[in-house]
Structures are given as structure tokens and as C-alpha cells.
Amino acid sequence: DVLIPQDNLIKDCLLQLGYSRIYPLADFTKVRSGLTTIMSTRSEVRVPEFGVVIKESSGVFWNTVDTFFAPKTIEKVRASFPEIDFLLTIWHISLESKYQYNQPVNFPYELYGYLLKLIELIDPKAIAPGAQEFKYIGTSAWQNNLVFPQTRERFCHDLKTAFPDLQERIFAFDPGDIIEFNTGEYNLD
């Protein structure tokens, strides 16, 4: 079974790859499988994508993927899931399109502050930066400091400053890391 945004191109590609049980979901659609509930969440970036909230006995996990969420989305999520046990959040500030179009690439303090305000509205019990780990490599690596001025480590530092109560529950994942959580206990392997 494949849950996708409502997008014919994605559906057609999956059909060509041999998938037959494809389910396009509208924003805030809930799907249940046994004791697990999954809900798609809206992205303010109008491309075919969505975040996903997963609720099961161990808690509520919201993976925003690389979507940008808004206060109304947070309200809808919190109406269905009043407590978010773990938030995997957008974090990477990209100035790539500004750079490509020869526009100023000053750090977007206002946007960054707004992202921290949105995280405050979610009020997660634990958090980690997720998705958007794109970077240039090789001879193009010099561009990273210009177009991606925020590092994952700096984002985690800023989270600890903005949300001191979360100090021990801010995680920076590396490939292959596994986080287990159950009723307020968190273990990173």
C-alpha cells in the first residue's frame, strides 16, 4: 500500500513501477491500520507533498518531512492529537533560488524566527531536525555556506536556547540512527 499526495504524475510513476494499491490522500485525511492512525498534514509549499502524523500506543509522531506548516495546520493537528510526543521538523533555510537569480542572500532572520514560533505552537515533547539535508559536494561545495547558511548543529543549539525545557530531548540524527520512544521515554541508538 502506498499513500501519496493527490498528484497524477506521482500515481502514474508508481503504477509504472508496478505498484497497484495507491491511495491519494487529501490534506488531513486519517487512515487506520489496526491500532495505528496515520494523518496527512498540509504543506504551505504548493507542491505535491504532505507531512504525516502517526499515532500508536507508544505516542504521537509528526514527521513534517520538508513541508512548511502554518498555524492553521498546527491547530488541525492538535485538535486530533493534543500532544505531540516527537516532532521531526523542517529546519534547513535554503537561499538557493535567491542565489541562482542573483538576489541578496542575507540570512532570513524573520523566516527563521517564524519557524521557531511555529515549533513553539506545536509544543512537542521531543524534537529533531529532519529532511532537507541537501548540500553541494566536490568542487561545488563552496556554495553551501551561501545557499544553506544554517547547519543542523546550529539549529539544535538554537532549539536548546529557545526551548530550554527540551534540552535532553533534542536529537540530531545521523544516517542509520534509530529513535525509540514510549510514554515519555526516549532512546537514541
Side-chain angles (χ1 to χ4, degrees):
D1 294 340
V2 182
L3 308 175
I4 64 169
Q6 294 180 323
D7 183 79
N8 288 332
L9 179 59
I10 294 173
K11 185 176 180 180
D12 290 343
C13 289
L14 288 168
L15 287 169
Q16 289 177 33
L17 289 169
Y19 291 92
S20 59
R21 296 179 359 192
I22 303 167
Y23 305 97
L25 302 180
D27 295 337
F28 309 109
T29 300
K30 289 183 183 174
V31 176
R32 287 186 178 82
S33 177
L35 299 176
T36 302
T37 300
I38 300 170
M39 182 175 79
S40 60
T41 61
R42 177 180 165 81
S43 174
E44 297 307 309
V45 180
R46 297 317 304 159
V47 297
E49 66 181 6
F50 55 70
V52 63
V53 177
I54 303 169
K55 179 186 180 204
E56 57 181 27
S57 62
S58 62
V60 177
F61 171 73
W62 185 2
N63 182 353
T64 66
V65 191
D66 60 355
T67 68
F68 203 85
F69 41 89
K72 287 188 178 190
T73 296
I74 296 167
E75 287 175 25
K76 282 194 167 256
V77 169
R78 298 284 308 266
S80 293
F81 309 101
E83 292 188 347
I84 303 298
D85 295 295
F86 199 94
L87 176 67
L88 190 63
T89 186
I90 183 175
W91 66 275
H92 210 216
I93 302 294
S94 174
L95 302 175
E96 188 174 26
S97 61
K98 288 184 178 244
Y99 179 69
Q100 290 172 346
Y101 290 104
N102 202 28
Q103 297 172 348
V105 289
N106 300 327
F107 190 85
Y109 291 101
E110 188 174 326
L111 176 63
Y112 191 62
Y114 182 62
L115 173 59
L116 293 174
K117 184 67 175 166
L118 293 172
I119 292 169
E120 180 181 33
L121 290 174
I122 295 169
D123 191 25
K125 293 180 182 176
I127 190 169
Q132 300 179 306
E133 192 68 42
F134 178 82
K135 68 178 182 177
Y136 291 100
I137 59 172
T139 58
S140 298
W142 63 270
Q143 297 177 87
N144 289 323
N145 289 337
L146 292 171
V147 299
F148 307 119
Q150 180 71 334
T151 65
R152 178 185 69 172
E153 291 73 23
R154 180 58 199 221
F155 180 72
C156 288
H157 173 275
D158 292 346
L159 287 173
K160 289 177 182 179
T161 301
F163 309 107
D165 292 346
L166 290 178
Q167 290 284 327
E168 301 302 316
R169 294 174 312 229
I170 296 172
F171 302 93
F173 295 147
D174 290 321
D177 283 351
I178 297 172
I179 184 90
E180 293 180 17
F181 65 93
N182 192 0
T183 59
E185 297 292 323
Y186 298 87
N187 183 34
L188 177 63
D189 289 328

